[in-house]
Every structure is written in structure tokens, then in C-alpha cells.
Amino acid sequence: MRLNCTCCRLALALIPALFLLVAPAAAQEKVSPVVKGFGAINPIPKATKKPDAALDYRIVVDVYKEAEKPDQLVPGLHHTARMLNLHGYGGVPEEKLQVVLVVHGPALALVLDNRAYREKFGTDNPNIPLIRALKEAGVELYVCGQSMIARGYDFAALNPAIGLSVSALTVLTEYQLKGYALITF
């Protein structure tokens, strides 16, 4: 079969080039070395800059943005899992990652136990498995008591995996004064 149309010949000539561009990205499998099953990252085997594995990484994470829909993960939890996985993939041993996370403001609903979350939103709390995975990875999780009161949440509805703090402000200032780097989501 002969193709006389210039557009057809051009399209056929571009197909192999498109395959070469798309195939490596499609073949690459994401990994989650620290927070198993969450926050998967793309391996970058040729990276010339990696985290310094000799450093102790002390990070305090400020989570205040809510999920777009109640059946979705709060982005700050997902990004925290990615951050841990990126450091782990980069060669930082898990014992050198010390992460404290505090939740307040609009993200507050993620701290509810499943019963209270289902009652409020009509769906299970999708954040609970990720909270469990973050705890297993060594993350300390706290909620702002001031936000809970301001938003009318009952302390009895708090997920037992999350500690109650006086406030997000005191957690954030305390850990920054202890030398923790601040990351806000």
C-alpha cells in the first residue's frame, strides 16, 4: 500500500518517535519505600542531587488544606507520605527521618474517627489508612485543640491515632525552636 498523502506519511513517521517518548514514562513504576502503599514517587535513577543520607531530617508539617471532596485524601497527608518516600528513595535511613505533623483549620475533618466522619459526610474517612501508614513510618500526628473547639468538633470523635495538642501554633513554634524545618500543606 502506497501513501501519497503528505499528512499520512508524516503521521507514520512520527509514530516511532512518539513511542520512544512515551514508553519510558509508561514503563516506569512508582515506588513507596517508607510509607507503604501511599505517596508513591517516580524513581529518578540518574539524579545527581540526592538527599544527604548523613543528615538527621527533623521536619514539622503544617496541614490545613482540606480535600476537595469528603471521599478524597487530604492533600497534606499525601504530600507528607511522598516527602518521606522521596527521602527514603534518596538514601536517607528511616531512623534519620523525624516528622511531626499537626492538623488544623479546614483540614480538621481528617482527624475524625470513622463513625463521626461517616455521620458528618455520609462516607467512610478515606484518610484513616494513610494515617495508620504514616504512624507506622514513625510520624507523630497531632490536631489543634483550638480548631476542634472553634469548628464544633467533639474531642470524643477524635481518631485515637492522633494526639490532641493545645494548638497548632504551639506545636509549630515548639518544633521549629527545636530545629525542625517547617513544611506547609
Side-chain angles (χ1 to χ4, degrees):
M1 178 173 137
R2 280 184 58 137
L3 297 174
N4 292 327
C5 168
T6 304
C7 289
C8 293
R9 285 192 305 249
L10 181 60
L12 282 175
L14 287 177
I15 288 174
L18 286 173
F19 179 74
L20 290 173
L21 289 173
V22 175
Q28 185 172 322
E29 241 181 84
K30 291 186 174 192
V31 296
S32 51
V34 178
V35 184
K36 309 301 183 208
F38 293 97
I41 55 128
N42 294 303
I44 312 293
K46 294 183 180 182
T48 56
K49 175 63 183 130
K50 296 179 182 177
D52 183 343
L55 291 176
D56 287 317
Y57 288 84
R58 297 183 318 198
I59 303 162
V60 61
V61 180
D62 177 10
V63 175
Y64 68 90
K65 294 178 186 170
E66 65 188 330
E68 288 184 24
K69 297 178 184 172
D71 63 346
Q72 296 176 342
L73 292 174
V74 167
L77 290 182
H78 170 74
H79 295 318
T80 300
R82 283 182 45 78
M83 177 190 66
L84 287 161
N85 287 328
L86 287 163
H87 282 82
Y89 174 79
V92 177
E94 289 182 43
E95 61 273 8
K96 291 193 168 267
L97 286 168
Q98 299 169 26
V99 178
V100 175
L101 182 148
V102 64
V103 179
H104 64 101
L108 204 63
L110 79 87
V111 305
L112 295 175
D113 65 24
N114 203 51
R115 180 200 54 78
Y117 196 93
R118 194 178 322 107
E119 205 174 273
K120 183 169 180 62
F121 297 108
T123 187
D124 286 339
N125 186 341
N127 301 287
I128 290 175
L130 178 48
I131 290 167
R132 188 176 310 114
L134 288 169
K135 291 282 288 186
E136 289 171 5
V139 176
E140 293 179 43
L141 292 103
Y142 297 101
V143 63
C144 174
Q146 303 302 307
S147 288
M148 288 196 68
I149 291 171
R151 293 181 180 268
Y153 287 121
D154 182 359
F155 291 132
L158 180 60
N159 178 335
I162 299 174
L164 178 62
S165 71
V166 170
S167 72
L169 294 173
T170 55
V171 170
L172 294 169
T173 55
E174 174 187 340
Y175 282 93
Q176 286 180 81
L177 288 170
K178 289 180 177 179
Y180 281 60
L182 172 66
I183 294 183
T184 302
F185 295 121

